[in-house]
Amino acid sequence: MNTTITATAKYIPEKILSNFDLEKIVDTTDDWIKSRTGITKRHIVQEGEATSDMCANIAKKLLKSSGKTPEEIDIIIIATSTPDHFVVSTAAIVQDKIGAINAWGYDLTAACTGFIFALETGARLIESGKYKNAIIIGADTMSSIIDYKDRNTCVIFGDGGGGVLIEQTDDDYGIIDSILKTDGSGNQFLTVPAGGSRKPASETTVKQRLHYVYQDGKTVFKYAVNRMSEVSKEIIEKNKLSSHDIKLFIPHQANQRIIDATARKCGLDLDQVFVNIDKYGNTTAGTIPIAIDEANKMNLLESGELLLLAAFGGGFTWGSMLIRWGKML
Ligand code: COA
């Protein structure tokens, strides 16, 4: 038995934050952002809108396009670094919002690699035979943890998310293989220093702006290119394929230059690589499922063709996943 994707969906908040808007807030320019990252705009939530709102919207779209009722859903896994609350999980809130009364679920945190980790987990649960389907979502409200006084980070990130419905199949398409990695020694290069049990929120942590994302951009850049290309090449070789066998490569959308360098190292041509970072920036766990949904809606993948995913994020975490595209409901 395999696990296959049978529906895809995304949610992008309406509100746009363009490079020109950012020029008015921090010392940056549209030219710098475009040339160093490839980003022209990103979307951010309205005041009061949270990660579970985005996820519930995505889950409802998945139900609609698959024709499933909320009661038929077995599992909900949400990859996010920006849950509505520490307690309770975003998955629990979404379960309630969509009326999936027979589902259990949880949140999974692996920063920008979160969606691939969640998809792997969901797929293996389904292959156990105990569950028929799962909703797997990657979504982040990065604007809730970004310092709009820090030009090193605020130009890169945006809000948004996407998701897939996965189900059992006896056909030979689906999630074929994955290589997943964690190297916690990289934790200091990309983190939110306060707000957890190490440094609980206090007047001092707020004054020191420790509740925002800190990153050492140059180090993260190098690791992202090297680690994503390593695991992508490894999974291609392990499955006795060549880069030409890959119909579509969806890398995590962190920086156009990271995407280009990774694709080059893997011997992939530009027309094999899906890119939408210009429109949304880095939506953390959201980038890959958003791209999967867009590629699906653009009919870029036919049944039987190979999709390769690769992600890198805080932790450090990274991984690749090989999928033989199946039939949508
Ligand atoms: N606007 C204008 N200038 C900026 C700027 C901005 N938004 N951000 C940085 N600069 C300046 C720096 O201060 C520096 O100036 P200096 O030379 O006078 O010191 C100069 O631009 C170059 O900075 P540098 O940090 O070398 O830029 P970079 O080319 O490495 O780009 C990032 C910075 C953050 C875009 C890039 O390192 C990156 O994308 N890193 C990976 C981030 C990432 O992927 N994070 C998520 C991981 S999943």
Side-chain angles (χ1 to χ4, degrees):
M1 187 209 302
N2 287 332
T3 307
T4 190
I5 295 172
T6 53
T8 69
K10 70 165 192 236
Y11 174 79
I12 307 293
E14 267 175 44
K15 193 172 160 190
I16 291 174
L17 186 65
S18 71
N19 291 351
F20 298 106
D21 295 327
L22 284 168
E23 281 184 356
K24 295 177 199 138
I25 306 173
V26 286
D27 181 15
T28 192
T29 61
D30 173 55
D31 262 3
W32 192 97
I33 302 170
K34 271 205 296 235
S35 62
R36 304 309 292 164
T37 71
I39 302 165
T40 57
K41 64 185 174 76
R42 70 286 298 137
H43 292 244
I44 58 168
V45 295
Q46 303 285 347
E47 205 181 327
E49 193 179 10
T51 301
S52 74
D53 300 319
M54 297 200 282
C55 294
N57 179 293
I58 294 161
K60 282 179 190 164
K61 284 177 185 155
L62 291 171
L63 291 174
K64 194 167 176 208
S65 62
S66 66
K68 292 246 178 313
T69 63
E71 296 81 8
E72 286 178 277
I73 300 302
D74 292 333
I75 304 172
I76 299 169
I77 306 177
I78 303 214
T80 187
S81 300
T82 50
D84 291 21
H85 309 282
F86 275 154
V87 182
V88 301
S89 75
T90 313
I93 300 169
V94 172
Q95 183 262 356
D96 179 50
K97 280 186 189 214
I98 67 168
I101 52 171
N102 297 311
W104 64 284
Y106 55 93
D107 291 3
L108 182 156
T109 304
C112 302
T113 318
F115 180 75
I116 294 187
F117 279 22
L119 196 47
E120 168 80 1
T121 316
R124 302 310 157 218
L125 285 167
I126 286 175
E127 279 157 32
S128 75
K130 195 168 174 190
Y131 308 101
K132 284 197 171 61
N133 63 49
I135 284 178
I136 311 292
I137 294 176
D140 270 298
T141 309
M142 293 307 290
S143 60
S144 66
I145 53 167
I146 288 300
D147 185 351
Y148 287 95
K149 290 188 172 171
D150 178 8
R151 69 179 184 173
N152 291 302
T153 50
C154 73
V155 301
I156 298 172
F157 292 98
D159 300 340
V164 296
L165 178 71
I166 54 175
E167 296 188 66
Q168 292 175 351
T169 179
D170 291 325
D171 293 314
D172 67 356
Y173 45 67
I175 296 161
I176 296 174
D177 199 6
S178 61
I179 300 175
L180 306 176
K181 306 267 185 184
T182 296
D183 176 3
S185 68
N187 75 77
Q188 77 272 22
F189 298 115
L190 180 52
T191 186
V192 175
S197 58
R198 177 67 59 196
K199 254 191 216 312
S202 68
E203 212 176 311
T204 313
T205 60
V206 171
K207 271 194 193 137
Q208 292 176 343
R209 309 183 81 73
L210 297 179
H211 295 271
Y212 295 119
V213 170
Y214 162 81
Q215 76 167 0
D216 172 347
K218 271 191 195 314
T219 303
V220 174
F221 190 106
K222 267 185 253 160
Y223 271 89
V225 172
N226 291 332
R227 297 294 174 260
M228 278 203 289
S229 57
E230 272 165 24
V231 282
S232 301
K233 282 193 286 191
E234 193 182 333
I235 206 166
I236 288 172
E237 279 164 26
K238 189 174 157 214
N239 287 275
K240 302 190 175 20
L241 299 165
S242 91
S243 56
H244 301 295
D245 296 317
I246 304 299
K247 177 64 197 307
L248 194 65
F249 177 53
I250 298 184
H252 171 49
Q253 311 280 308
N255 183 319
Q256 179 73 55
R257 292 183 297 134
I258 293 178
I259 296 169
D260 293 345
T262 304
R264 218 171 23 247
K265 275 179 174 259
C266 295
L268 291 154
D269 297 332
L270 286 184
D271 64 356
Q272 290 172 283
V273 183
F274 191 90
V275 179
N276 61 9
I277 189 168
D278 50 318
K279 296 186 284 184
Y280 310 127
N282 180 352
T283 54
T284 302
T287 70
I288 290 184
I290 291 171
I292 292 176
D293 182 55
E294 293 194 338
N296 180 29
K297 302 282 158 63
M298 290 160 79
N299 293 315
L300 297 184
L301 287 156
E302 284 182 25
S303 185
E305 290 180 329
L306 289 173
L307 167 66
L308 177 62
L309 309 178
F312 179 86
F316 292 131
T317 55
W318 68 101
S320 63
M321 183 172 265
L322 190 62
I323 297 173
R324 190 174 292 286
W325 197 247
K327 296 188 187 83
M328 296 300 112
L329 288 171

